[in-house]
Amino acid sequence: MDALVALCKRRGFLFQSSEIYGGLNGFWDYGPLGVELKRNIREAWWYDNVTSHNELVVPPGAPSAFQMVGIDSTIIMHPQVWKCSGHYDLFHDYMVDCRETKKRYRYDQVQGRWVEYNGQRIFVATEAVGEEAVADVEHKALRFFNLRTKEADRLVWHSPLVSLTTVEDFSQVLAPDAKTLGTLTPPREFNLMFKTYVGALSGEENVAFLRPETAQGIFVNFKNVLDSTRVKIPFGIAQMGKSFRNEITPRYFTFRSREFEQMEIEFFCRPETSRAWYEYWRQRRFNWYISLGLASERLRLRDHSPDELSHYSCGTADVEYAFPFLAPGDFGELEGIAHRGDFDLRSHMEGKLIRKGNELVLELGPDGQPKYRGSGKDLTYFDEETRERFIPHVIEPSAGADRAALAFLCEAYAEDMVPDEKGVPTKRVVLRLHPRLAPIKVAVFPLVKKDGMPEIAQRIYADLKPHFNCFYDEKGAVGRRYRRQDEIGTPYCITVDSQTLQDDTVTVRDRDTLRQWRIKVDDCVEVIRGLIRGTYTVPG
Ligand code: GAP
């Protein structure tokens, strides 16, 4: 992971936000290559789900044909949206503060071990994970009891690593960065929505929130989309864009950021077909990551157990990836696919709902009136064919563009040995990114900077440029130029050499197989297009 983080900075994929001022925790900037990678992910998602979707045919595994449209709603919406959706009351994490160090931790992310020395039993806490956590806890316990490393066997361990949430009394807890015991406050709720003020006045009545998800922008536009287009159920509305969460402990590079991008679909269907649609989307979204190169055993699709489900959800599955920064065996969420029933449309019609037994009912305030009133607008759907009116059920595939980018980078990063120009095996760093995602699709080199080779290479570059993001390089040994492209994931390199001057052919080099073959100069655009689409077969 350290090597990948260093590569991301060195080659301009990711920078810490406001780095020259010391950075801002939980915020990341994408550099010249990173922005291309993330755009390619977003474009692949939009193209595969919206633009290229053919509503006239039944896709494999789908219960029927369906329509897909997109929207782009605002980041700041009416505050009532968040009251009715439940985010205002419920979108929080628990935090604990350390009175000694003034540091803040997410309650469920602190773990530790019970340890005893000389009759004193304490809980030593850490924010680290996996083997690092075990080592960190031992180091802290030794320091607390004033012992040297070689005296470690005098510590008596009473538990494996367990969550702080299992500890009832904090008086014997040594906080992750503290020197004394009992410095942690009891856990408190912390709402993750960023607050802001709309207009010149900063009173409570002007409070608004930066959206913590793009989904609500879709629900509140459900009727607009129905009324302005000819979509019929089943159909999906897609949206991608920035979301903001004031995460207590942003960490793991971009994995948990405070500003990030989501790619969400709300798919509206008849209640009785919703289970089949849920199964369809669950599998389809999993397959999407595989099709773009997350094909290893590090990717999995995991169904939530009933106690993990939100109060409104009838089923949720997560697409997860075993990021290298997680403890062995741990997976991090890339996307959640949730069956949300009619919760969202009902909430925006009636007001905030709560679960009572098996029912979702309107939550009432102390005065017996709805705690948060809905819009009162009719968000039901009238089916012209069956002459029925109903509230559609919703399936929500909700993905994160930044987490996807991070997973694709982690999966792509490799170090291998390849022969240099003299045939001597040398170490190379390579990003085996899928050609659709690679920031640069093709690099063009003249073998040497003479004999008219640069002129031909520049002509090829000019031909390719309107079609693909490409790169021209004439400096240094060609082997070194290949390595620089391998390191940033460029799948193909075209080289003009002395044979080009005779027969108008160039070599194409494949990043992964290292195969080189010759093609006609005039065929460069079509060959590269075919290679990216997977429709071109390498000869021989
Ligand atoms: N509308 C449902 C929803 O927002 P979520 O599981 O909270 O569900 C969906 O978020 C996706 O957004 C996650 O699977 C993840 O990819 C991304 N995401 C959520 N919080 C994030 C964060 N703090 N940093 C980066 N990505 C995040």
Side-chain angles (χ1 to χ4, degrees):
M1 194 64 207
D2 289 346
L4 177 64
V5 172
L7 170 72
C8 285
K9 161 108 198 202
R10 187 172 73 247
R11 297 304 308 271
F13 280 91
L14 278 157
F15 308 126
Q16 217 193 346
S17 162
S18 332
E19 194 182 285
I20 59 167
Y21 289 103
L24 189 60
N25 199 9
F27 296 89
W28 294 91
D29 294 339
Y30 286 79
L33 292 177
V35 70
E36 296 296 336
L37 170 65
K38 200 160 97 164
R39 278 191 49 183
N40 291 341
I41 292 170
R42 287 198 313 245
E43 274 167 20
W45 183 87
W46 192 265
Y47 179 83
D48 293 346
N49 288 300
V50 185
T51 330
S52 74
H53 176 71
N54 183 347
E55 73 284 4
L56 304 179
V57 299
V58 182
S64 70
F66 59 92
Q67 286 167 286
M68 291 294 297
V69 293
I71 63 157
D72 185 13
S73 70
T74 57
I75 285 170
I76 294 178
M77 295 194 275
H78 195 293
Q80 199 67 8
V81 170
W82 307 111
K83 291 185 174 161
C84 292
S85 70
H87 285 82
Y88 185 76
D89 284 349
L90 301 171
F91 194 56
H92 52 239
D93 279 333
Y94 283 91
M95 62 181 182
V96 287
D97 287 309
C98 176
R99 294 188 200 90
E100 181 189 311
T101 61
K102 309 289 176 239
K103 288 201 174 170
R104 177 164 285 179
Y105 307 98
R106 215 174 102 175
Y107 181 40
D108 61 350
Q109 278 169 4
V110 178
Q111 49 174 353
R113 292 183 74 184
W114 285 101
V115 61
E116 188 176 337
Y117 171 70
N118 236 353
Q120 189 180 13
R121 194 167 180 270
I122 67 167
F123 183 83
V124 183
T126 178
E127 272 200 293
V129 293
E131 279 170 27
E132 216 181 293
V134 174
D136 190 47
V137 164
E138 182 178 288
H139 173 74
K140 286 181 167 136
L142 288 171
R143 204 178 50 193
F144 179 80
F145 289 119
N146 227 346
L147 294 171
R148 282 169 297 172
T149 312
K150 60 181 180 191
E151 296 171 303
D153 56 359
R154 297 175 68 183
L155 296 170
V156 183
W157 296 98
H158 285 291
S159 77
L161 277 173
V162 290
S163 168
L164 180 67
T165 56
T166 62
V167 179
E168 277 176 18
D169 173 13
F170 282 4
S171 66
Q172 296 309 305
V173 172
L174 181 65
D177 303 283
K179 293 198 177 69
T180 49
L181 293 178
T183 59
L184 287 180
T185 60
R188 282 185 296 147
E189 282 177 5
F190 175 77
N191 194 294
L192 300 182
M193 283 199 294
F194 278 99
K195 225 182 196 184
T196 187
Y197 298 94
V198 174
L201 300 174
S202 54
E204 266 313 293
E205 66 279 17
N206 301 97
V207 165
F209 302 94
L210 305 193
R211 69 179 175 203
E213 59 170 31
T214 60
Q216 298 305 322
I218 300 180
F219 296 126
V220 301
N221 276 299
F222 171 72
K223 200 169 158 40
N224 281 337
V225 172
L226 267 189
D227 293 348
S228 60
T229 66
R230 287 163 58 200
V231 285
K232 287 201 167 38
I233 270 176
F235 71 92
I237 306 179
Q239 162 155 246
M240 55 177 141
K242 292 264 181 165
S243 292
F244 301 81
R245 296 183 188 178
N246 200 359
E247 299 283 356
I248 298 169
T249 49
R251 59 156 90 167
Y252 301 140
F253 211 14
T254 56
F255 180 80
R256 190 176 304 111
S257 311
R258 288 176 165 143
E259 175 175 338
F260 54 95
E261 252 172 289
Q262 288 187 309
M263 308 183 291
E264 301 198 289
I265 295 169
E266 304 304 329
F267 188 80
F268 302 94
C269 58
R270 295 183 68 91
E272 63 275 17
T273 58
S274 59
R275 177 62 47 188
W277 282 112
Y278 167 67
E279 296 296 340
Y280 168 70
W281 279 107
R282 184 182 161 281
Q283 197 57 46
R284 173 171 165 160
R285 293 302 307 144
F286 181 61
N287 293 348
W288 187 75
Y289 293 93
I290 296 173
S291 74
L292 288 173
L294 285 195
S296 71
E297 69 290 347
R298 299 183 83 89
L299 187 76
R300 74 175 185 191
L301 181 61
R302 184 183 67 84
D303 290 304
H304 282 208
S305 60
D307 56 314
E308 268 182 282
L309 295 177
S310 326
H311 63 290
Y312 48 76
S313 182
C314 323
T316 298
D318 285 344
V319 180
E320 297 181 328
Y321 185 73
F323 286 96
F325 45 74
L326 299 174
D330 282 359
F331 285 73
E333 178 188 326
L334 287 182
E335 170 161 353
I337 301 99
H339 184 311
R340 297 176 65 98
D342 60 5
F343 173 79
D344 305 279
L345 290 178
R346 265 189 70 196
S347 303
H348 289 302
M349 270 198 296
E350 301 169 22
K352 187 185 168 216
L353 302 172
I354 48 167
R355 180 168 287 284
K356 266 218 179 114
N358 279 338
E359 298 286 302
L360 285 169
V361 296
L362 205 54
E363 184 175 1
L364 301 179
D367 56 359
Q369 295 300 309
K371 186 170 180 195
Y372 300 122
R373 278 182 197 285
S375 65
K377 298 282 184 290
D378 181 6
L379 303 181
T380 58
Y381 177 83
F382 183 68
D383 189 323
E384 304 275 355
E385 273 170 35
T386 60
R387 313 300 296 165
E388 279 171 281
R389 186 169 286 285
F390 59 93
I391 306 174
H393 276 206
V394 169
I395 312 301
E396 179 194 69
S398 170
D402 307 82
R403 282 199 192 166
L406 190 55
F408 286 123
L409 281 170
C410 290
E411 182 79 8
Y413 184 91
E415 292 173 8
D416 60 8
M417 299 296 283
V418 297
D420 67 8
E421 285 116 285
K422 297 187 192 106
V424 180
T426 42
K427 191 181 123 181
R428 112 176 141 153
V429 171
V430 56
L431 281 186
R432 297 189 205 278
L433 288 168
H434 190 285
R436 281 182 81 190
L437 302 183
I440 293 170
K441 310 295 183 205
V442 54
V444 185
F445 310 145
L447 185 64
V448 288
K449 238 163 83 179
K450 56 182 186 187
D451 302 337
M453 289 185 208
E455 289 73 12
I456 300 173
Q458 284 167 23
R459 267 207 314 277
I460 295 172
Y461 178 67
D463 285 348
L464 291 165
K465 199 79 198 173
H467 306 278
F468 318 103
N469 197 9
C470 37
F471 189 79
Y472 176 78
D473 191 3
E474 58 179 28
K475 291 191 195 78
V478 75
R480 263 221 305 283
R481 283 181 262 163
Y482 284 144
R483 295 291 177 280
R484 285 184 59 77
Q485 294 306 313
D486 291 342
E487 198 183 48
I488 59 169
T490 307
Y492 309 109
C493 293
I494 290 177
T495 305
V496 172
D497 54 19
S498 50
Q499 196 177 323
T500 314
L501 309 176
Q502 292 154 23
D503 64 5
D504 254 355
T505 64
V506 287
T507 61
V508 183
R509 171 189 181 267
D510 181 297
R511 174 198 69 202
D512 298 337
T513 61
L514 299 178
R515 277 199 59 192
Q516 298 198 17
W517 69 101
R518 298 197 79 86
I519 62 168
K520 283 278 186 204
V521 166
D522 288 346
D523 294 342
C524 283
V525 171
E526 280 322 306
V527 169
I528 297 298
R529 197 193 311 282
L531 283 165
I532 294 169
R533 289 186 179 163
T535 53
Y536 172 86
T537 314
V538 179

